[in-house]
Amino acid sequence: MNVQPLTQHRPGDGAAAQFSSAPPLSLYVHLPWCVRKCPYCDFNSHVAGAALPQAAYIDALLRDLEADLPLVWGRPVISVFLGGGTPSLFEPDAIDRLLSELRARLPVLAGAEITLEANPGTLDTGRLAGFREAGVNRLSLGVQSFDDACLKALGRIHDAAAARRAVQVARACGFERLNLDLMFGLPGQDVDQALRDLDTALAAEPGHLSWYQLTLEPNTVFYSHPPPLPAPERMEAIYEAGLARLAAAGYSRYEVSAYARPGHGCQHNVNYWQFGDYLGIGAGAHGKLTLPDGIVRLAKYRQPATYMARASAGQAVAERRRLDHDERVFEFLLNALRLVDGFTWRQFGERTGASLGAVRPRLQEAARQGLVTVDAHGARATSRGFDLLDSVLECFLPTSVDA
């Protein structure tokens, strides 16, 4: 595909930003309903009623996409991610229709990664087989824990037996690309419990593990009524021992909380972290696109009923804003420094349209603090910087970036 160079000039940017090509494009589809809202969840999710409006919602998704198509016309899609909420609440026939209609409107590459997020409490053999037949080729299971007491504390609808069964059935249904979401630092959890969880996940031999600490996010039940979490020294012990176990089992850490065997990294998320482009359709979905007049972010209406009404009228966009110079630089670093390999200078220039002068002094200061490594090819966080990533990113807040 030939992509025309994109140029931008904005007062205060200095020289016009030069984009030699558009970055890879992904598609995110938000399916916002779940059985029950978990007390730690700050995602745009809503408790499902007696019956999901599956057909009507897919109609709205397609109208939403059609309104966005002029922004990406002709660009191939490298990955599709069905997130939520709990997308596995949708019937396999609905997912089949959705994916077929998406392919009719977008040039989704052959062999593109198609991910579905799923809750073990919503799955059985028939549903998983149906999702696989519909074209889903990567499954992300929200296990969170294999301990019944921890699952109850987290408000999950499944138990440990359901989690183990979901992994086994997913394998039997042909899901070779499998991710398990697993948390540590759970209410009342000790070191042995956390490592037993991790060992159970490793024994299942998924290609990918998302292993991360429970955090108390604003606007959640846990934030308003904090549960008893492990002390910091216990968290540190879990973390250090867990890293050793993951490495010994052959899982390479390639992002802050992502670990994979060779060839099993999440292509969709890597595109986010490398500041690629993505369309976002669905209630509350966000998108980031490189356009002739710069990089824009789009956000869709959050409430499902409002979204469906607006999308059906071709007006699903609730907010559209163009990133200024400092925002482009900061958002690139916010994502790229999450990757173990960091970024190259070429990637920085191509994805931000900014000069190295915009970040060099700040990178040098972070390097002096031992937080990043800078060489002739690019930059990446050190081991210490990875553990103190918020401190690294503070160096590049928009108010601090040298334009």
Side-chain angles (χ1 to χ4, degrees):
M1 179 185 67
N2 293 322
V3 179
Q4 295 299 315
L6 302 174
T7 61
Q8 174 187 5
H9 179 71
R10 178 184 176 91
D13 273 3
Q18 298 292 322
F19 295 92
S20 59
S21 63
L25 177 68
S26 295
L27 173 67
Y28 175 76
V29 183
H30 194 68
L31 306 177
W33 289 283
C34 53
V35 174
R36 182 169 64 213
K37 184 82 170 180
C38 296
Y40 59 85
C41 178
D42 68 338
F43 296 153
N44 182 37
S45 59
H46 305 264
V47 176
L52 291 179
Q54 297 186 42
Y57 189 73
I58 290 174
D59 288 342
L61 288 172
L62 298 175
R63 290 297 303 275
D64 184 1
L65 175 60
E66 288 164 357
D68 282 350
L69 282 180
L71 301 174
V72 296
W73 201 256
R75 292 176 60 182
V77 173
I78 65 166
S79 64
V80 178
F81 197 103
L82 309 182
T86 305
S88 52
L89 284 177
F90 275 60
E91 295 297 327
D93 285 350
I95 297 299
D96 182 46
R97 179 199 165 203
L98 172 61
L99 293 177
S100 296
E101 297 282 8
L102 294 178
R103 290 183 182 278
R105 291 162 174 78
L106 285 168
V108 179
L109 292 178
E113 179 186 87
I114 313 293
T115 301
L116 177 83
E117 287 187 331
N119 185 314
T122 64
L123 298 175
D124 56 35
T125 301
R127 294 182 78 81
L128 280 170
F131 294 142
R132 187 69 188 90
E133 186 175 350
V136 176
N137 55 28
R138 184 176 184 273
L139 192 69
S140 183
L141 286 175
V143 171
Q144 314 311 357
S145 176
F146 289 96
D147 183 286
D148 282 337
C150 288
L151 289 169
K152 183 176 181 180
L154 290 174
R156 302 295 288 174
I157 65 170
H158 70 278
D159 59 14
R164 292 187 178 90
R165 186 166 56 251
V167 174
Q168 294 170 353
V169 174
R171 290 283 193 217
C173 290
F175 283 101
E176 297 179 359
R177 297 182 64 82
L178 179 65
N179 170 66
L180 300 184
D181 259 22
L182 197 70
M183 291 182 176
F184 67 90
L186 306 181
Q189 189 179 54
D190 61 27
V191 176
D192 287 342
Q193 286 175 311
L195 295 179
R196 191 159 53 245
D197 258 357
L198 183 56
D199 287 341
T200 302
L202 292 172
E205 298 187 329
H208 192 284
L209 266 171
S210 298
W211 187 63
Y212 53 95
Q213 181 179 325
L214 170 66
T215 56
L216 306 186
E217 302 290 350
N219 302 315
T220 65
V221 173
F222 273 3
Y223 190 82
S224 302
H225 302 88
L229 299 181
E233 57 270 19
R234 184 180 294 180
M235 293 280 205
E236 183 68 18
I238 294 170
Y239 177 69
E240 293 297 336
L243 290 180
R245 274 171 159 77
L246 285 156
Y251 289 82
S252 296
R253 186 185 196 182
Y254 70 96
E255 187 267 346
V256 170
S257 58
Y259 305 80
R261 288 182 163 172
H264 285 267
C266 179
Q267 298 168 14
H268 187 88
N269 286 344
V270 167
N271 193 38
Y272 287 159
W273 296 322
Q274 291 181 339
F275 212 48
D277 279 357
Y278 52 96
L279 275 175
I281 61 172
H286 287 248
K288 173 254 173 186
L289 297 171
T290 305
L291 303 177
D293 63 345
I295 295 175
V296 299
R297 286 204 172 276
L298 305 172
K300 306 302 172 62
Y301 285 95
R302 288 177 57 85
Q303 291 296 323
T306 303
Y307 166 78
M308 292 170 66
R310 299 301 295 259
S312 296
Q315 300 173 346
V317 177
E319 180 183 358
R320 172 178 172 146
R321 64 184 182 87
R322 187 172 69 162
L323 302 185
D324 64 24
H325 173 276
D326 288 0
E327 289 173 323
R328 297 197 309 271
V329 170
F330 179 70
E331 290 198 13
F332 175 88
L333 295 170
L334 178 71
N335 287 281
L337 286 174
R338 293 179 61 92
L339 292 166
V340 169
D341 292 337
F343 62 92
T344 66
W345 302 129
R346 178 175 179 177
Q347 286 174 331
F348 175 82
E350 289 179 346
R351 301 292 167 90
T352 68
S355 70
L356 292 181
V359 294
R360 184 176 285 114
R362 304 294 173 179
L363 282 170
Q364 291 172 341
E365 176 58 30
R368 280 192 291 270
Q369 297 177 35
L371 300 174
V372 300
T373 296
V374 179
D375 57 31
H377 302 289
R380 63 185 182 278
T382 62
S383 295
R384 178 169 178 263
F386 237 51
D387 293 339
L388 300 171
L389 195 57
D390 286 346
S391 297
V392 176
L393 295 172
E394 284 176 3
C395 299
F396 305 102
L397 287 170
T399 54
S400 301
V401 173
D402 296 328

